[in-house]
Amino acid sequence: MSPKYHSLQAVQEAIAARQTNCSILVEHYLGNIAASGHLNAWVEVFSEEAIARARELDEKYRTDPAAVGKLFGLVVSIKDVICYEGHRISAASKMLGGFESLYSATVVERLLAEDAIIIGRVNCDEFAMGSTTENSAHGPTLNAADPERVPGGSSGGSAVAVQTDTCLISIGSDTGGSVRQPAAFCGVMGFKPTYGRISRHGLIAYASSFDQIGILGRSPEDIARVLSVVAGPDEYDATALPHPPPVFSFSSQWEGKPDPRKIAFIEETLTHPGLDPAIRQITEDYLKGLEELGHQLVPVHFDYLDFLIPAYYVLTTAEASTNLSRYDGVRYGHRSEQAGNVEEVFKLSRTEGFGREVKRRIMLGTFVLSAGFYDAYYAKAQKARRLIAQRVEEILNDCDLLAMPATPETAPKLGELSSDPVKMYLSDIYTVLANLCGLPAIAFPIGTHPEGLPVGIQLMAGKGKDAALLEAVEDLRK
Ligand code: GLN
């Protein structure tokens, strides 16, 4: 679907030219939300609140155009795992049915402080665990490119919200690809910053040493503008990087010839048997095109490809099993009505509240952390994580970027992946690397599969090089 406005800059210029205002924009997006209701991307739309806020912001602008914030005119959705004070949040789980946030996530506060409008919360997999947005207490979200197919996950609602022009930006979360994979499946752009770049305060935890808030949108400039507002140190998150938000200079702003980049690609990622041949072809053609533009391609080897998924799932399920222990029927959300004693409160509340996939991960995580198996699984996976990160660091010490497919296949039909958890886990092969290493990564569209579905590519950069990565995408995207 072609959007009314392709970028925040276009929105702000239209407002300055009096062609639109925040109220008209909100009406436009609300209209599109209603028209795309069958895709089930939205869990809750804050219609009245968004209309009232738009009116206030229009008034603020009318009084003094210079007084408005950097994100004036930006209409945003948030994934249903990000706290917004006084608003419900469910993590797409029955476990948090009816729960209301007592405070706002740092990212929400910073968006609002710069005059963004939050128009609603969008669907995802339960506790952000999944790759299809089918594991949701609110039912599956469908892909607008083909409603028989999933939008990817876990931030599937975010990707569809951008895809269908129901907001310009969506804030998601990415533990192992949840922002990039749905972006690739839906033909939009999904960015996961360096670990710690955006505070995780107010993000419902899945696997804390992997989790990062991510941004879905249509252009690297928009993502950069949002990142420069929401990034930066935060006293509520000790893992937030101490550096100020990155500063950007896009080549479109200085109209120069783009710098040639040195781009590594791991040969094993392209020859992997799980990779769809048409995606391989599109990726190779795209990379060849970059070479013709004067960029340097550097083939590299990486021996650990087959260890990525095992390391990721051992470590994330371990962290998930401890993070989710807080949902005990006492402190938050669902409490079983059948329970006759304390132990039953814990047991029955969790049995009734959590879905299958979440239970599977809690059990896996508890197993790999158990006394008899800790060394064989958890400690081993930690070592694998270190070796993997060292090798990628070596590659990125020598090259500016690391390119690889975003996904091995295009968006599957509903039920295809969710009915086979191992197949679902394996499909994360290209995205988990960035989270294992804490690196910034982005997926963006580079073509259309012969079946008619979007195909994305993924670029990764060294730690902290978020600005360099987004600037590169501006130069390298089609
Ligand atoms: N699909 C991956 C998983 O299920 C990634 C999820 C995420 O990034 N939140 O763990």
Side-chain angles (χ1 to χ4, degrees), residues 128-131 154 174-178 206 312-313 361 428:
M129 297 174 188
S131 308
S154 63
D174 190 310
T175 305
S178 272
Y206 159 14
Y312 171 81
Y313 276 98
R361 295 190 190 203
D428 294 331

Side-chain angles (χ1 to χ4, degrees), residues 79 125 127-132 135 153-155 173-181 206 211 312-313 316 357 361 424-425 427-428 431-432 435:
K79 181 176 177 179
D125 286 297
F127 286 99
M129 297 174 188
S131 308
T132 62
N135 305 323
S154 63
S155 313
S173 69
D174 190 310
T175 305
S178 272
V179 152
R180 290 161 284 148
Q181 183 253 29
Y206 159 14
D211 294 344
Y312 171 81
Y313 276 98
T316 53
E357 183 58 32
R361 295 190 190 203
M424 181 174 87
Y425 299 165
S427 74
D428 294 331
T431 47
V432 298
N435 306 70

Side-chain angles (χ1 to χ4, degrees), residues 301-309 384 387-392:
H301 287 290
F302 183 75
D303 294 332
Y304 306 122
L305 204 60
D306 290 335
F307 299 104
L308 297 179
I309 293 296
L387 289 174
I388 290 163
Q390 272 169 0
R391 175 67 187 124
V392 175

